[in-house]
Amino acid sequence: MENLASKLTGILLPVVTPFDQQMKLDHQAMAQNLSLWKETGISGYVMVGSTGERVHLDESEYLQLIETARAATPSELAFIAGAGQQSTVGTINEVKKAAHAGADAVLVITPYFYRTAITQETLANYYRAVADAAEVPVLLYSMPPLTGMKLEPETIAGLSQHPNIIGVKDSSNDVAGFSKTVSLCPDDFAVLTGNGTVLLEALRAGGTGAILAVGCVVPELCVEILRAFRAGEVEHAESLQAKLAPLAEAVTTRFGIGGLKAALDLTGYRGGSVRAPLRAPDAASLKEIEGLLYEAQGSAPQRRQGAK
C-alpha cells in the first residue's frame, strides 16, 4: 500500500473506453493508448470509471477491459478500477471482481438513485462496509455533477480513519471544500482533484495529485503544471493552467465524453465512438475543440509517433 500511496501524488488518467463503429470494445485501441500514455510522465490509470463509460458496459465488458489494461500496464504505474453499484452488496461484489481481474485499488463512486434517502451517515456506512469487504484499497469518489451527491469534508475525514480507505477523488470545483478536506484528513490520506479547471488551485489548497479526464488528451501539460507548482515556478504554472482550463471545461462539462474522445482522435490517440445516448460533437464543436487544443499545446494538434 505504501508504494501505491506514492503513485497517488502525481497525475493519473481516467481512461476512456474505445468502441469501434459497431459499438464493440476496441481492445487494440485501448492497448495502443496505454502504450502512448505511459511515456508521458503520468503516475497511473483509472479504468472503467465515469470517463470510461462504466454505465454503458455490461459485467463481461467491464472485466475484459480491466484484464486487457492490466496486461498493458507496467508495475510502476498505479492501476485503479472504477466501481460502484446502487446497493452496498452490489458494490462489494463488483469490487471483488475488479480485484481478481488485477486492480491495485478501486475508486468507488457514491450511490445516488435513491437520493432523498442517502444522507452523509448513509454514505459513511456504505463506504465502511465496502472497505471492510474489499481485498484492495478503496478510494472515495465524489462526483456531484453526475450523481447529485457530495461527500462532505467531515464525512471524508471520518472515513479517512478506516485502514483500507486511502484517498478521495473530488470532482467538484469547490476549492474551499477541497481545502477543508485536506485540513481535516491525515497527511498520508490522498486528496486528489478530478477537475482540470481547478488543478492549480487544488494543488495550492494541499491536494496530493489529480485524476484528470483532460489529462488523457494533454498529459504532458498536466504533468508540467504539477512539476512547476512543486518547483515553485508560480508564473509558469499559472500560465499553463490558463491554457488548460478552457480545454478541460470543453472536453468534460460542455462537450462531455464525446468531446473528449474527439480530442483524443485529433491528438493521435484513439478515442473511438461513444455509446448512445451520448453523441459525438458536431462540426462546429469539433472545430472549437481543435482551436482549444491549439491554444493548450501552443501549436496545431499533431499525431503522436506510433499512432495510427
Side-chain angles (χ1 to χ4, degrees), residues 4 7 70 73-75 77-81 98-99 102-106 135-137:
L4 176 60
K7 299 172 186 176
R70 175 74 276 181
T73 302
S75 60
L77 296 182
F79 187 78
I80 300 168
D104 297 329
V106 286
E135 300 171 23
V136 293

Side-chain angles (χ1 to χ4, degrees), residues 1-10 78 166 188-190 192 208:
M1 188 181 298
E2 188 173 318
N3 186 36
L4 176 60
S6 68
K7 299 172 186 176
L8 301 179
T9 60
I166 62 172
D188 62 352
F189 187 78
L192 302 110
T208 55

Side-chain angles (χ1 to χ4, degrees), residues 72-160:
T73 302
S75 60
E76 61 266 23
L77 296 182
F79 187 78
I80 300 168
Q85 297 296 316
Q86 296 307 306
S87 71
T88 302
V89 66
T91 298
I92 288 172
N93 289 336
E94 186 168 79
V95 165
K96 287 182 178 179
K97 290 173 182 177
H100 292 168
D104 297 329
V106 286
L107 178 68
V108 179
I109 199 164
T110 55
Y112 55 86
F113 188 81
Y114 295 109
R115 194 170 307 168
T116 57
I118 300 176
T119 64
Q120 292 297 302
E121 181 181 7
T122 304
L123 291 173
N125 291 336
Y126 166 80
Y127 278 111
R128 288 192 188 100
V130 171
D132 285 345
E135 300 171 23
V136 293
V138 171
L139 289 96
L140 316 173
Y141 185 13
S142 183
M143 181 48 148
L146 292 184
T147 65
M149 301 300 305
K150 180 182 180 183
L151 280 168
E152 297 293 346
E154 294 82 2
T155 305
I156 297 169
L159 289 168
S160 72

